């Protein structure tokens, strides 16, 4: 189950990297100053940093099979999930505005307006799967 969690985490990270790259490329950092982006940079980069650190800890767990590392990775995933939900809640109105707007998104639109819905949904789904698999592994369910 630890390898399944690792694979789920890596797939989740791919979606996250794509959205982070899109957000930066579309001016998310610049938009922080103008207030156009609804995603605060500290939340975006905090989510990314904690998830990346957690992934490194999980890889260390897979290699070393130390329970403390599994629980540390799970503990890191909790604020990652919280920050993810904050960003989702702030992204939904941007998505709804895009859905009701006629025409393509402009450069003045929030950077997160360019996130494909499929990527957002897949990222969230794989994140939940990762969290559950990491918890089950830490609890010793299904073997190591």
């Amino acid at each position: 189950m630890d390898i399944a969690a690792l694979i789920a985490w890596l797939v989740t990270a791919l979606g996250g990297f794509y959205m982070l790259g899109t957000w930066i490329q579309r001016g998310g950092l610049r938009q922080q100053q103008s207030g156009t982006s609804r995603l605060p940079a500290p939340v975006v980069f905090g989510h990314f940093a904690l998830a990346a650190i957690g992934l490194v800890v999980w890889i260390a767990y897979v290699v070393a099979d130390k329970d403390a590392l599994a629980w540390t990775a799970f503990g890191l995933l909790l604020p990652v999930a919280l920050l993810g939900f904050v960003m989702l809640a702030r992204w939904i109105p941007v998505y709804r505005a895009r859905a009701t707007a006629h025409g393509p998104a402009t450069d003045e639109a929030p950077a997160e307006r360019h996130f494909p819905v499929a990527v957002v949904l897949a990222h969230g789904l794989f994140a939940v799967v990762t969290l559950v698999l990491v918890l089950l592994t830490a609890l010793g369910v299904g073997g190591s």
Side-chain angles (χ1 to χ4, degrees):
M1 195 172 308
D2 55 349
I3 299 300
L6 178 61
I7 292 168
W9 205 324
L10 290 171
V11 171
T12 305
L14 288 174
F17 280 132
Y18 177 81
M19 288 188 289
L20 178 63
T22 299
W23 186 76
I24 292 169
Q25 180 184 18
R26 297 292 184 158
L29 289 171
R30 279 191 323 272
Q31 291 176 354
Q32 292 300 294
Q33 296 164 347
S34 66
T36 306
S37 177
R38 294 188 43 88
L39 301 180
V43 174
V44 171
F45 289 108
H47 178 76
F48 168 75
L50 287 171
I53 293 167
L55 178 57
V56 169
V57 171
W58 189 253
I59 291 168
Y61 165 74
V62 169
V63 171
D65 196 28
K66 300 288 183 189
D67 288 344
L69 291 172
W71 284 108
T72 301
F74 178 73
L76 287 165
L77 276 178
L78 295 177
V80 170
L82 179 63
L83 292 172
F85 279 120
V86 166
M87 289 189 293
L88 177 65
R90 296 181 67 97
W91 174 80
I92 288 172
V94 173
Y95 168 72
R96 287 185 178 158
R98 176 179 75 179
T100 60
H102 301 290
T106 65
D107 287 339
E108 296 173 10
E112 57 273 16
R113 180 180 265 186
H114 300 276
F115 294 165
V117 176
V119 175
V120 173
L121 293 177
H123 180 72
L125 176 66
F126 277 96
V128 169
V129 168
T130 300
L131 185 67
V132 170
L133 289 174
V134 168
L135 175 60
L136 291 175
T137 303
L139 289 171
V141 176
S144 178

